[in-house]
Amino acid sequence: MDDIDAMFSHLLGEMDYLSQSLVHAADAPDVDPAQQRQSTFSVGFADLNESLHELEDQDLDALVADLGSKSNNNACGGTDHQMATSAKTQECEAAAAPLKPANTAEFSAALQMYEQQTKADKIKLALEKLKEAKVRKLIVKVLMGDGSSRTIMVDERQTVREVLEKLFEKTHCDGNIDWSLCETNPELQIERGFEDHEYLVEPLSAWTRHSENKIYFVSRPQKYVMFRDPQLFYMWKKKKACLSGINEQAKQLLVKEHFGGSALIVPDLEGTLYLKEDGKKVWKPRYFVLRASGIYYVPKGKTKCSSDLVCFTRFEKVSIYSTNSYRQKYRAPTDFCFLLKHPCIQKESHYIKFLCCDDEHTLLLWVNSIRIAKYGTVLYQNYQAAVKRASTWQTVHKANSHVEDDPHEPPPSFIPPPPPGQSHI
């Protein structure tokens, strides 16, 4: 304690001496470098309380050592404790000196890495914006069966299922699996229901500039009939009375057998259809056979053996369309017709295949069996996603119906009729 008191007494005396030196140095024209260092150092300690406060925050040992090197012989005398403290401070400074370049190098490396990362992030953002700018987008007017319409923006990355979800929100209708987007072509008097996995922008981009085609948001009961009544397609040769007696468990087994395996099983559908001749309003009967790769027919005088079958059309690049009033337009044997064409064909062409059935049930079999053969297990995946969505909606609807004093009225049932002049297939 005596050494510390002596040290503080000496320090305060030295501070007073330095303060007086600063006053005398103000009048001198030339300032000695040593005196300049003393003056600079003593400015922060003009007040005693302030000096004590600063000494508590700074390294007291280093300050004492620095003052001792600039003071007179009395200060150089010091105590053994002061000498040991000064030597210890110098050792610390010597040990810390080599670390400065290393810290500087690490900081420079970190700064350089940060700049590189920032540049990479900017490049990534610019590429994403360029990619977004190249995405095709369309403003689509969707017509409802009640005469109203909804306008939505669709880009080329959105599937029909995603667009349906938008329309569910806009119309507040239920999430029934039968809801569909349908394309109508007044010139050819045809319509087609888009599959849920299709990208909507692609077929719409094929429309001509002055096209009168329209998009409808409608409920199509036959959209997934092949999964709700699979016996109609895989047991079609049996009598209708036998088919109506099949229970739900047997239906599920049929679906699992034909769609749940490693390979899809296409209905072995065959029968007589009427084929329209190119450029003529003449329809001739032919015996057609459905296969996974396409539709085949039996030439005159040949049998139904695979070696005798002739390919009528393949499914890779064609879509199936239902028709309206073809008995009047093309003198078809019945009004139960369908056609196969590429989506880009918007006008009458010899590349369009016109077929006519005897009755509505036969039309139902052929149209949906062709869909099974063309889309395969993807169609079943669409069905499962639609069922899941409908189940979620029903759960939410039931939960909301139990909430007391709900200020929101439940949305009205929105089930628009089919497009004018169109039939559900």
Side-chain angles (χ1 to χ4, degrees):
M1 292 296 297
D2 293 338
D3 292 342
I4 295 175
D5 292 338
M7 181 179 64
F8 271 102
S9 299
H10 170 71
L11 177 61
L12 294 177
E14 179 63 16
M15 287 166 49
D16 183 67
Y17 170 78
L18 292 175
S19 299
Q20 294 178 3
S21 299
L22 181 61
V23 174
H24 293 297
D27 298 331
D30 296 326
V31 180
D32 183 74
Q35 293 179 349
Q36 185 177 11
R37 289 194 299 270
Q38 289 178 349
S39 300
T40 304
F41 187 82
S42 62
V43 170
F45 300 95
D47 181 73
L48 177 61
N49 294 329
E50 182 182 357
S51 64
L52 292 174
H53 177 72
E54 292 294 327
L55 286 173
E56 291 175 356
D57 293 338
Q58 296 181 11
D59 189 348
L60 181 61
D61 295 337
L63 183 59
V64 171
D66 186 71
L67 289 174
S69 63
K70 296 178 177 63
S71 60
N72 54 18
N73 294 331
N74 293 332
C76 292
T79 62
D80 294 339
H81 176 74
Q82 288 176 314
M83 292 177 64
T85 303
S86 178
K88 182 178 180 181
T89 303
Q90 292 177 358
E91 291 175 0
C92 293
E93 291 177 351
L99 297 178
K100 292 182 179 180
N103 294 336
T104 304
E106 291 178 2
F107 176 78
S108 300
L111 180 61
Q112 185 177 5
M113 185 179 298
Y114 172 77
E115 292 176 350
Q116 292 176 351
Q117 183 64 35
T118 303
K119 185 177 181 180
D121 292 341
K122 290 181 178 180
I123 293 174
K124 183 179 179 181
L125 180 61
L127 291 175
E128 289 178 354
K129 289 185 176 181
L130 287 173
K131 185 177 180 180
E132 181 70 22
K134 293 181 180 179
V135 174
R136 287 184 298 171
K137 298 179 181 179
L138 294 178
I139 303 297
V140 181
K141 183 179 181 180
V142 182
L143 301 177
M144 310 294 165
D146 60 355
S148 62
S149 64
R150 300 290 187 275
T151 302
I152 58 176
M153 176 179 285
V154 183
D155 67 49
E156 63 182 358
R157 299 166 298 185
Q158 291 180 311
T159 62
V160 172
R161 168 50 56 180
E162 292 172 331
V163 177
L164 286 174
E165 295 294 337
K166 284 186 177 182
L167 291 171
F168 290 156
E169 296 178 1
K170 285 180 174 289
T171 60
H172 304 288
C173 68
D174 58 33
N176 193 283
I177 65 174
D178 296 334
W179 288 109
S180 306
L181 285 178
C182 297
E183 169 193 13
T184 63
N185 184 324
E187 183 171 346
L188 292 176
Q189 296 178 208
I190 58 175
E191 75 160 343
R192 178 172 81 94
F194 294 115
E195 304 297 345
D196 287 356
H197 68 275
E198 291 186 79
Y199 294 99
L200 185 61
V201 170
E202 185 176 350
L204 298 189
S205 300
W207 291 6
T208 59
R209 185 175 186 86
H210 302 289
S211 174
E212 296 182 1
N213 294 7
K214 294 178 175 61
I215 296 293
Y216 280 87
F217 176 55
V218 294
S219 178
R220 295 167 59 92
Q222 307 301 337
K223 182 177 181 180
Y224 290 120
V225 64
M226 68 285 295
F227 304 112
R228 290 186 292 196
D229 294 308
Q231 73 278 6
L232 297 177
F233 304 93
Y234 292 97
M235 302 172 64
W236 62 274
K237 294 180 181 180
K238 294 187 176 183
K239 295 181 180 180
K240 293 183 179 179
C242 297
L243 298 180
S244 59
I246 296 180
N247 57 29
E248 286 298 322
Q249 184 177 2
K251 292 179 181 180
Q252 294 300 320
L253 289 175
L254 277 175
V255 172
K256 185 177 180 180
E257 178 183 355
H258 294 88
F259 293 93
S262 58
L264 174 73
I265 301 178
V266 177
D268 58 342
L269 189 62
E270 58 182 52
T272 301
L273 301 175
Y274 297 93
L275 173 64
K276 179 181 176 297
E277 293 188 0
D278 294 340
K280 299 179 182 180
K281 295 183 179 181
V282 178
W283 300 75
K284 292 186 177 181
R286 285 189 180 275
Y287 198 89
F288 289 91
V289 178
L290 178 65
R291 294 289 184 264
S293 58
I295 300 177
Y296 297 79
Y297 69 91
V298 180
K300 290 182 180 180
K302 299 293 184 178
T303 64
K304 293 187 293 183
C305 296
S306 300
S307 59
D308 292 336
L309 296 179
V310 177
C311 181
F312 174 68
T313 186
R314 296 187 180 276
F315 299 136
E316 289 84 358
K317 296 183 179 180
V318 298
S319 296
I320 186 167
Y321 297 79
S322 57
T323 65
N324 177 49
S325 302
Y326 266 30
R327 191 169 190 173
Q328 179 181 358
K329 182 179 177 66
Y330 292 114
R331 298 178 185 175
T334 68
D335 276 329
F336 307 108
C337 303
F338 67 94
L339 61 83
L340 298 162
K341 75 175 185 68
H342 193 283
C344 290
I345 300 176
Q346 297 295 311
K347 297 183 178 181
E348 190 169 345
S349 168
H350 65 277
Y351 292 106
I352 300 177
K353 308 295 184 181
F354 298 86
L355 294 169
C356 181
C357 304
D358 287 327
D359 51 50
E360 185 176 5
H361 178 70
T362 305
L363 176 63
L364 172 72
L365 289 180
W366 276 97
V367 168
N368 290 287
S369 295
I370 290 173
R371 290 175 60 209
I372 294 172
K374 177 176 174 61
Y375 300 110
T377 55
V378 176
L379 197 64
Y380 185 49
Q381 293 171 3
N382 293 346
Y383 170 71
Q384 291 177 313
V387 170
K388 184 178 181 181
R389 168 53 172 89
S391 177
T392 302
W393 183 88
Q394 291 176 359
T395 301
V396 174
H397 182 69
K398 289 180 180 179
N400 292 338
S401 63
H402 293 334
V403 178
E404 297 181 357
D405 300 329
D406 188 358
H408 301 288
E409 296 182 0
S413 298
F414 179 79
I415 306 179
Q422 306 293 328
S423 60
H424 285 319
I425 295 297

